[in-house]
Amino acid sequence: MPNKILLLDLTCDQLKGLLVSWGEPAYRANQIWGWLYRSLVSDFQEMTNLPKGLRERLAEATILRTMQPLEEKVSADGLTRKVLFALRDDQTIESVLMLYEKRRTACISTQVGCAFGCVFCATGQSGFVRNLTPGEIVEQVLYFAHLLKAEGERLTNVVLMGMGEPLANYEATWQAIETLTHEGGFNLGARRITISTVGLAPGIRRLAREGTQIGLAVSLHASTDELRDKLIPINRRYPLAQLMAACRHYFERTGRRISFEYALINEINDSPEQARQLAHLLDGLFCHVNLIPLNPVPESPYQPSPRGRILAFQAELNRLKVPNTLRVERGADIRAGCGQLRCQRMPKE
Ligand code: SAH
Ligand code: SF4
């Protein structure tokens, strides 16, 4: 039997092309698109406005879901839920749902593993396995959206901050974003989506050219090339001058304020002098700094800054009028925090 078509991997136009090649009218594609992304159905039988024959053909020739949730963990406070998914080739990824007062945010992965090897990141330590397809990126979102729908709620935000580097899997990531923002389907506002990047300057410029309103978060973590080279090896390829020029360009093209992620690592990047260097680097750029106490990961010797050092660093930023927030870390008890996601199944506690 020929390989089945993975429906979530198709753009709306490709779905139309498929239906037309089957001799169906093009509007059937819009109906199916609505079932997939508005009604969130995962069974062809629920597509009640399609003729029975078409439903049967779809069931024979295509697949609606490709990922199996293997394990779910909910944090002690009930506000963070982490899911380990098995993919069709038995690779695994993790995704996280975070409940805030007003927002329901899915943090999703774009690759199995990651090639960039940032020294403080669990995903980076496990190496790169493969890119996710557009459908696999979207399916993580649909999973959480469906879960929330069952509870009478809606997913409000998506952050591409899980495993992998979104801009190193540019095409699939961009297609997934187009699917999620498509008005005939999931219809998520572009401003509700944030891409986090390790700082691939050409990717940031390419994103700027899309003329999109999606948010950009840049994982900075150090304000000198000397230190950033050590923490984030790709900095040697795209040093700070190039990265910051790309960020300024992104702001000029989109008018959107950029977020800079700064994980505070004890005695490494958390002195008041380093806060001053950060202020200097960001001078004149419309931006916001997210301070994150480092999440310890077993593979890395780095430790989170103690509270006193965090507050002193933040006070220095405040004095220099650098907009910032100290992020309340979520889900560390289930290793769902930034940089703690990994491919393998976690050992049973
Ligand atoms: N590859 C992308 C997105 C995934 S990582 C990127 O690097 O931006 C998501 C965020 O978690 C990044 O800001 C990353 O720097 C941060 N991060 C990685 N390891 C961390 C750790 N141990 N503690 C806190 N943040 C971490
Ligand atoms: Fe990859 Fe981002 Fe982790 Fe760096 S921080 S290793 S780029 S996932």
Side-chain angles (χ1 to χ4, degrees):
M1 145 135 225
N3 277 346
K4 291 196 174 194
I5 297 163
L6 310 182
L7 277 190
L8 300 184
D9 275 335
L10 302 184
T11 63
C12 194
D13 283 344
Q14 287 168 341
L15 183 62
K16 269 185 200 138
L18 177 71
L19 272 290
V20 169
S21 77
W22 286 359
E24 298 284 342
Y27 73 85
R28 291 282 181 220
N30 297 336
Q31 290 176 322
I32 296 170
W33 191 262
W35 285 116
L36 292 177
Y37 300 110
R38 209 174 321 112
S39 313
L40 308 176
V41 306
S42 50
D43 183 343
F44 294 107
Q45 295 316 317
E46 293 174 60
M47 302 186 176
T48 46
N49 59 359
L50 302 186
K52 191 153 171 284
L54 177 55
R55 273 185 267 159
E56 278 164 8
R57 181 155 192 193
L58 280 166
E60 264 164 37
T62 71
I63 294 182
L64 267 177
R65 291 285 181 272
T66 67
M67 290 160 38
Q68 281 290 330
L70 289 181
E71 197 170 285
E72 297 216 13
K73 294 201 172 231
V74 180
S75 62
D77 61 12
L79 298 176
T80 305
R81 177 191 293 257
K82 180 170 83 167
V83 183
L84 177 78
F85 289 106
L87 309 178
R88 269 162 53 91
D89 55 0
D90 287 335
Q91 294 294 338
T92 57
I93 53 164
E94 293 188 317
S95 322
V96 181
L97 177 67
M98 293 168 288
L99 309 183
Y100 298 91
E101 205 175 319
K102 295 209 177 100
R103 281 174 294 139
R104 307 276 175 265
T105 302
C107 175
I108 59 171
S109 297
T110 53
Q111 298 181 313
V112 181
C114 179
F116 292 102
C118 303
V119 297
F120 44 78
C121 172
T123 308
Q125 304 314 304
S126 50
F128 174 72
V129 181
R130 72 166 172 87
N131 281 329
L132 294 187
T133 69
E136 287 169 331
I137 299 173
V138 166
E139 193 169 337
Q140 300 165 66
V141 177
L142 297 186
Y143 180 85
F144 289 125
H146 189 261
L147 202 109
L148 287 167
K149 192 178 175 184
E151 294 165 7
E153 301 226 41
R154 277 178 76 91
L155 190 77
T156 63
N157 293 74
V158 170
V159 294
L160 292 95
M161 287 190 189
M163 290 162 52
E165 166 55 39
L167 298 183
N169 183 14
Y170 193 97
E171 277 83 12
T173 297
W174 185 249
Q175 186 182 319
I177 288 172
E178 289 200 307
T179 296
L180 293 174
T181 52
H182 194 288
E183 289 178 1
F186 200 75
N187 198 19
L188 186 68
R191 301 177 73 89
R192 295 177 174 275
I193 300 177
T194 301
I195 285 194
S196 176
T197 176
V198 67
L200 305 185
I204 293 172
R205 287 178 181 275
R206 187 168 171 193
L207 200 58
R209 283 199 295 277
E210 311 279 3
T212 173
Q213 280 296 297
I214 58 178
L216 181 66
V218 176
S219 302
L220 195 58
H221 307 312
S223 310
T224 62
D225 283 320
E226 195 195 354
L227 178 58
R228 202 164 186 272
D229 281 352
K230 287 191 193 127
L231 299 176
I232 301 178
I234 194 66
N235 191 67
R236 290 179 211 135
R237 179 104 161 263
Y238 305 114
L240 284 168
Q242 267 189 53
L243 172 58
M244 296 312 295
C247 289
R248 284 175 204 280
H249 175 75
Y250 188 86
F251 173 69
E252 277 156 26
R253 288 293 284 259
T254 65
R256 288 224 56 189
R257 182 178 76 167
I258 297 177
S259 298
F260 289 95
E261 314 287 299
Y262 199 98
L264 289 155
I265 312 175
N266 192 27
E267 308 270 351
I268 301 287
N269 65 355
D270 62 347
S271 70
E273 170 61 21
Q274 285 163 321
R276 288 190 284 279
Q277 287 169 347
L278 176 60
H280 182 68
L281 184 74
L282 301 180
D283 191 30
L285 183 62
F286 184 50
C287 66
H288 189 91
V289 174
N290 283 323
L291 298 172
I292 315 156
L294 184 82
N295 285 310
V297 297
E299 296 84 351
S300 126
Y302 297 100
Q303 291 301 316
S305 307
R307 186 126 190 106
R309 288 183 75 87
I310 294 177
L311 294 179
F313 190 93
Q314 188 181 29
E316 196 62 9
L317 290 186
N318 289 341
R319 191 179 68 78
L320 296 165
K321 306 215 171 354
V322 179
N324 69 83
T325 33
L326 182 55
R327 198 189 275 169
V328 187
E329 216 16 272
R330 304 292 299 262
D333 58 336
I334 53 166
R335 290 201 205 147
C338 298
Q340 293 183 307
L341 304 186
R342 57 183 60 245
C343 310
Q344 300 87 10
R345 204 192 285 228
M346 272 173 56
K348 289 261 179 293
E349 268 114 69

